[in-house]
Amino acid sequence: MSRFVDKISLFDRRSSPMAEAEDIDRDGLLGHHSPPVNASQDSGGGGGDKSVTLGRLFKRVGDAHNGGGVAENDGYASPEHHVLELDEFAVGGGAGDHLASRPVPFVLAFTDLSYSVKKHRKLSFLRKNDLAIDPAAGLGPPEAISRTKTLLNSISGEAREGEIFAVLGASGSGKSTLIDALANRIVRESLQGSITINGEKLEGRLLKVISAYVMQDDLLYPMLTVEETLMFSAEFRLPRSLSASKKKSRVQALIDQLGLRSAAKTIIGDEIHRGVSGGERRRVSIGIDIIHDPIILFLDEPTSGLDSTSAFMVVKVLQRIAHSGSIVIMSVHQPSYRILCLLDRLLFLSRGQTVYSGPPDGLHRFFADFGHPIPDNENPTEFALDLIRESESTPDGAKPLVDFNKSRQNTQLALTTAEESSVSLKDAISASISRGKLVSGAKERTTSASSVQKHANPFWIEMAVLTKRSFTNTRRMPELFAIRLGAVLVTGFILATIFWRLDNSPKGVQERLGFFAIAMSTMFYTCADALPVFLQERNIFMRETAYNAYRRSSYVLSHAIVGFPPLILLSIAFALTTFFAVGLAGGTQGFFFFVLIVLASFWAGSGFVTFLSGVVTHVMLGYTVVVAILAYFLLFSGFFITRDRIHDYWIWFHYLSLVKYPYEAVMQNEFDDPHKCFARGVQMFDNTPLGGLPNVMKLNVLKSMSKSLGVNITGTTCITTGTDILKQQSITQLDKWECLWVTVAWGFLFRFLFYVSLLLGSRNKRR
């Protein structure tokens, strides 16, 4: 008699709309195409323990991504379609029946969540009225005020797959804080309570793999189209083992799911460039975070700033996402009646405490029992929020509502019989995989949840995709580079006309020193335009790296690669504008070295500004810091005061000066010729009180000096060579090539420090 095998029926659960829209074979995810597979064969022998680990489930995702098992037959290979057999996951039998009977595989539960932050108490003598306190909060005099502020106070609830769990409340009620707590965006040591999925504590690393977080602000590259934005997200979040055609198919399916087909070729846009509407922009923001079909989706006020129609369309999309087999948890300020009809579970908060928890249709009975029935034809959520606001303005605050909700919840728990235990996490993930949902970062040969791959793609692919995205966005804004080029050309033109055709006299030497100091420092000042580049992308970077879209090192290298080609063009433009017009020495070799040192200056300057942009988060403050520090660099460069005249307690700043090394390099490129003369005969009197004497008297002085010194000094005798000038300026420690390499090294060092600042400053978690 053949053994009966229970299987997961793909028709018992709702399949992903993305899978339906793709209409492509998922290489092993559609299990109903193949005959049953003997479970004992899969376990490597018969009669053994058939319990499967979570790691083996993730291995199945990797197998699916890689096309499943491949059986070779007569020179060609065909994909093997996997069938998930429930007796394969059973422990002692019966697990298959339990899983098949459960309508909701995933249940995220949170119990007694509490979170407090420290606050700075104002000094009592600064308070003019010690009794000016918040009576609604039940606070005492200023001396009795606690040094901590409670943002969440014993919040409990659960969210289920296929449903939208909405957190409501007035501004400051704790909605975003609760979403952050559930999304592991608060340091665990600071958060009290428990968060589980199907009764199992979820590791933060695994949560990043199976979830996504959509921020309140729409953080998108303005010059990319909707389709390009989603495609780049697919390149980041979907594994390399998935072919390019299937990634494109997923993007097209997602565009249809989000209702963005008509706007697929439209750019996102910004204040200057017209693009998609606000509702479409919000749906794109959701789309880039659900491209990998996450099991849990967190959203912080996705309807904020939208009109009623756009907000309804966004929530309608979220409902379809929930029905595809995801848990959707969102905060919303004040939903309309149409949006309320799409929500499945509500959680009202008032100053971090639960006022109501339950389905929307339970609001009428709840407030009727409380003694404030909801009038007919009135939006229940608006009534509830208005009542909460009124209660908060009373001396007791919302405490009566909070206490009433607690008593009601305790009564319901006492009257409700215990439900069946939820499906285990490993079985729920198995069922989710069988429906075609992809788990980003899952890799074959995974042995445990802790060994799930952190990033979906290797380092070089991330860097290539980041570089392509940045190039695409920058290429469509040529006016930015045109402004930079124009600034460099104007600066070069001004310097060229001021220092036009300098001669080799002592005055020409002094003018050359001034030109080099101004030119090299100008290279660094013009790099200040790189400051807002990362500051504008910072929030995008924070959002994408929060859930391991790519590595921080990939971003740093891509940032350097994208920014380098414009520096080459700017260096050539400045050198062509100034080198020949000023009459600098060195010929062709001197010109190319001048280009190189200008390029190195741009490289070091842009690296320095990029590093500051990772440390300073405000544009105006960043500009102030950049200008001040570059002024100090110029002061200690050796132009205003030579190295041998700087006091010992400041000499360290001389060697830290970025302007020092390119300044000394161009000085040596110009004066490092012992045979070139810059002061002959009577020219030695220039820049002295004797400079105004007639030439006849100067020659007589030279004759007298010759007799005294025993050296013949005439009007054409070379007094000062280029080497003498370098010695006078104390430029003797490094040659010009060493100065060049030191300048280049500064650029690399600052980019490494930029990487360190990203590691330390982008943890994406509250303390």
Side-chain angles (χ1 to χ4, degrees):
M1 180 181 296
S2 61
R3 182 170 58 88
F4 178 75
V5 180
D6 289 326
K7 301 176 183 175
I8 297 176
S9 174
L10 299 180
F11 302 98
D12 291 342
R13 297 289 305 156
R14 290 164 289 192
S15 61
S16 168
M18 217 175 292
E20 296 173 358
E22 288 182 32
D23 195 23
I24 59 175
D25 184 9
R26 288 188 178 272
D27 293 346
L29 296 181
L30 300 182
H32 59 280
H33 288 301
S34 64
V37 179
N38 195 324
S40 63
Q41 295 176 355
D42 182 74
S43 61
D49 183 8
K50 296 177 183 178
S51 176
V52 67
T53 65
L54 184 59
R56 290 178 58 195
L57 298 180
F58 281 113
K59 179 180 183 302
R60 295 179 180 276
V61 187
D63 294 338
H65 289 170
N66 293 320
V70 179
E72 296 183 2
N73 186 15
D74 298 332
Y76 70 92
S78 61
E80 175 188 349
H81 300 282
H82 294 276
V83 177
L84 297 176
E85 301 180 0
L86 295 187
D87 63 345
E88 189 177 15
F89 305 140
V91 180
D97 296 333
H98 174 68
L99 179 58
S101 64
R102 290 293 299 170
V104 182
F106 290 105
V107 178
L108 186 149
F110 49 97
T111 307
D112 294 332
L113 290 185
S114 298
Y115 174 60
S116 301
V117 295
K118 293 182 180 180
K119 64 178 182 178
H120 300 287
R121 184 171 59 178
K122 294 182 179 180
L123 297 177
S124 58
F125 66 83
L126 295 178
R127 293 176 175 266
K128 294 183 179 180
N129 184 8
D130 284 351
L131 299 178
I133 59 175
D134 187 355
L139 302 178
E143 290 75 15
I145 297 177
S146 174
R147 290 182 178 273
T148 61
K149 180 179 181 180
T150 301
L151 301 182
L152 297 177
N153 188 357
S154 298
I155 307 297
S156 300
E158 68 174 24
R160 296 174 175 263
E161 176 187 325
E163 298 180 349
I164 298 179
F165 181 90
V167 183
L168 296 89
S171 298
S173 61
K175 301 189 300 296
S176 297
T177 304
L178 178 59
I179 298 294
D180 287 345
L182 297 177
N184 193 33
R185 294 169 64 87
I186 297 178
V187 177
R188 287 297 185 187
E189 291 75 14
S190 303
L191 184 67
Q192 299 176 358
S194 64
I195 303 174
T196 61
I197 294 184
N198 293 14
E200 301 179 24
K201 186 176 180 180
L202 188 60
E203 299 177 8
R205 183 175 181 182
L206 181 59
L207 180 62
K208 285 188 176 183
V209 173
I210 66 174
S211 67
Y213 184 96
V214 180
M215 295 182 178
Q216 183 174 349
D217 298 325
D218 298 323
L219 307 173
L220 304 168
Y221 283 90
M223 300 310 295
L224 299 181
T225 66
V226 170
E227 184 176 9
E228 289 172 339
T229 301
L230 296 176
M231 194 65 212
F232 281 121
S233 180
E235 295 288 347
F236 290 133
R237 302 307 300 263
L238 301 183
R240 182 178 53 158
S241 56
L242 205 64
S243 65
S245 60
K246 289 187 178 180
K247 290 180 181 179
K248 187 173 182 180
S249 298
R250 289 189 65 80
V251 169
Q252 297 303 321
L254 184 59
I255 290 175
D256 293 330
Q257 184 183 9
L258 297 173
L260 295 170
R261 177 57 57 190
S262 60
K265 301 297 183 181
T266 306
I267 64 171
I268 300 299
D270 54 15
E271 296 82 0
I272 301 176
H273 307 89
R274 183 176 179 83
V276 297
S277 65
E280 291 170 336
R281 183 191 297 263
R282 186 60 50 86
R283 279 177 275 162
V284 174
S285 296
I286 296 173
I288 60 179
D289 284 310
I290 66 170
I291 189 68
H292 63 300
D293 214 357
I295 293 174
I296 308 173
L297 179 61
F298 302 100
L299 304 101
D300 186 11
E301 298 200 22
T303 61
S304 177
L306 301 179
D307 59 80
S308 59
T309 302
S310 298
F312 175 76
M313 293 179 65
V314 167
V315 180
K316 191 69 177 176
V317 168
L318 296 178
Q319 185 186 54
R320 291 200 296 267
I321 295 171
H323 289 173
S324 71
S326 297
I327 299 175
V328 176
I329 302 176
M330 59 180 283
S331 61
V332 58
H333 185 66
Q334 192 164 337
S336 64
Y337 183 78
R338 289 196 303 166
I339 292 179
L340 180 64
C341 295
L342 302 178
L343 306 179
D344 299 289
R345 293 175 184 263
L346 305 179
L347 179 67
F348 281 85
L349 295 179
S350 173
R351 294 181 179 174
Q353 294 181 301
T354 304
V355 173
Y356 172 80
S357 178
D361 54 14
L363 286 171
H364 288 83
R365 183 175 179 180
F366 176 84
F367 285 101
D369 293 345
F370 183 67
H372 292 76
I374 301 176
D376 296 336
N377 300 323
E378 184 167 349
N379 187 336
T381 57
E382 293 182 0
F383 175 86
L385 292 173
D386 290 341
L387 182 61
I388 292 172
R389 290 191 188 96
E390 292 177 4
S391 300
E392 290 176 346
S393 62
T394 63
D396 293 333
K399 189 175 184 297
L401 270 172
V402 174
D403 294 339
F404 179 74
N405 176 70
K406 288 182 179 179
S407 62
R408 186 182 178 88
Q409 293 293 332
N410 293 334
T411 303
Q412 290 178 350
L413 289 174
L415 297 176
T416 303
T417 58
E419 291 188 5
E420 298 180 27
S421 61
S422 182
V423 181
S424 68
L425 182 57
K426 60 185 180 183
D427 290 340
I429 293 177
S430 174
S432 180
I433 293 169
S434 72
R435 296 197 305 273
K437 295 181 77 67
L438 296 178
V439 181
S440 175
K443 193 76 172 176
E444 61 179 345
R445 304 200 182 280
T446 304
T447 58
S448 67
S450 61
S451 60
V452 174
Q453 189 177 4
K454 188 175 181 180
H455 299 91
N457 293 286
F459 167 80
W460 61 88
I461 290 182
E462 294 174 353
M463 192 171 63
V465 175
L466 283 167
T467 302
K468 181 180 178 182
R469 181 177 69 173
S470 187
F471 264 129
T472 303
N473 186 71
T474 305
R475 178 170 51 85
R476 293 173 181 170
M477 293 187 290
E479 63 274 9
L480 297 182
F481 177 73
I483 293 174
R484 294 182 66 187
L485 180 61
V488 170
L489 290 176
V490 169
T491 302
F493 174 77
I494 294 175
L495 292 177
T497 51
I498 292 178
F499 298 97
W500 179 263
R501 296 294 181 183
L502 299 180
D503 55 28
N504 292 333
S505 65
K507 290 185 178 179
V509 171
Q510 292 298 321
E511 291 165 352
R512 276 178 169 81
L513 299 182
F515 168 76
F516 289 141
I518 297 299
M520 293 302 102
S521 61
T522 299
M523 298 303 98
F524 290 94
Y525 279 109
T526 54
C527 290
D529 62 351
L531 183 68
V533 173
F534 175 70
L535 293 180
Q536 292 173 352
E537 298 179 3
R538 185 185 187 91
N539 291 330
I540 299 178
F541 168 83
M542 299 279 282
R543 183 202 67 209
E544 293 177 335
T545 55
Y547 284 81
N548 300 332
Y550 48 80
R551 297 166 179 82
R552 292 171 178 84
S553 56
S554 303
Y555 179 85
V556 172
L557 288 178
S558 171
H559 188 276
I561 291 172
V562 172
F564 189 71
L567 300 183
I568 298 176
L569 297 178
L570 295 177
S571 302
I572 295 175
F574 183 81
L576 288 174
T577 307
T578 58
F579 186 87
F580 300 104
V582 176
L584 301 181
T588 304
Q589 292 183 351
F591 172 76
F592 281 113
F593 182 83
F594 188 75
V595 172
L596 289 177
I597 195 61
V598 170
L599 177 59
S601 300
F602 275 126
W603 167 255
S606 61
F608 170 70
V609 175
T610 300
F611 162 64
L612 285 182
S613 69
V615 177
V616 182
T617 59
H618 194 277
V619 176
M620 295 309 298
L621 179 60
Y623 277 125
T624 303
V625 174
V626 167
V627 172
I629 295 180
L630 289 180
Y632 301 148
F633 285 161
L634 178 60
L635 176 62
F636 288 94
S637 63
F639 169 70
F640 294 102
I641 181 171
T642 59
R643 174 174 52 83
D644 59 341
R645 299 284 295 173
I646 298 177
H647 292 288
D648 293 339
Y649 49 80
W650 279 120
I651 195 64
W652 59 273
F653 209 119
H654 170 73
Y655 291 103
L656 291 179
S657 172
L658 294 184
V659 182
K660 160 188 165 62
Y661 301 98
Y663 171 70
E664 292 188 359
V666 292
M667 284 285 289
Q668 293 185 72
N669 191 50
E670 181 71 15
F671 297 113
D672 193 16
D673 184 356
H675 304 292
K676 189 171 183 179
C677 189
F678 291 92
R680 294 183 180 274
V682 295
Q683 289 181 336
M684 65 183 299
F685 300 114
D686 293 351
N687 300 324
T688 68
L690 299 179
L693 297 176
N695 285 336
V696 176
M697 295 185 64
K698 292 179 182 178
L699 291 174
N700 292 332
V701 173
L702 288 178
K703 290 179 181 179
S704 300
M705 292 175 61
S706 299
K707 292 179 182 179
S708 301
L709 298 174
V711 178
N712 186 22
I713 303 176
T714 65
T716 58
T717 302
C718 183
I719 305 300
T720 304
T721 63
T723 306
D724 297 327
I725 295 175
L726 295 178
K727 291 180 180 179
Q728 292 172 6
Q729 298 297 315
S730 297
I731 303 176
T732 56
Q733 292 182 322
L734 301 174
D735 62 33
K736 67 178 184 180
W737 290 104
E738 290 173 338
C739 291
L740 173 65
W741 297 127
V742 170
T743 306
V744 173
W746 274 118
F748 282 106
L749 175 62
F750 282 121
R751 282 166 175 82
F752 173 75
L753 295 177
F754 175 55
Y755 168 70
V756 173
S757 70
L758 296 184
L759 283 179
L760 301 178
S762 58
R763 296 299 182 183
N764 299 290
K765 286 190 177 183
R766 302 192 196 184
R767 294 290 177 181

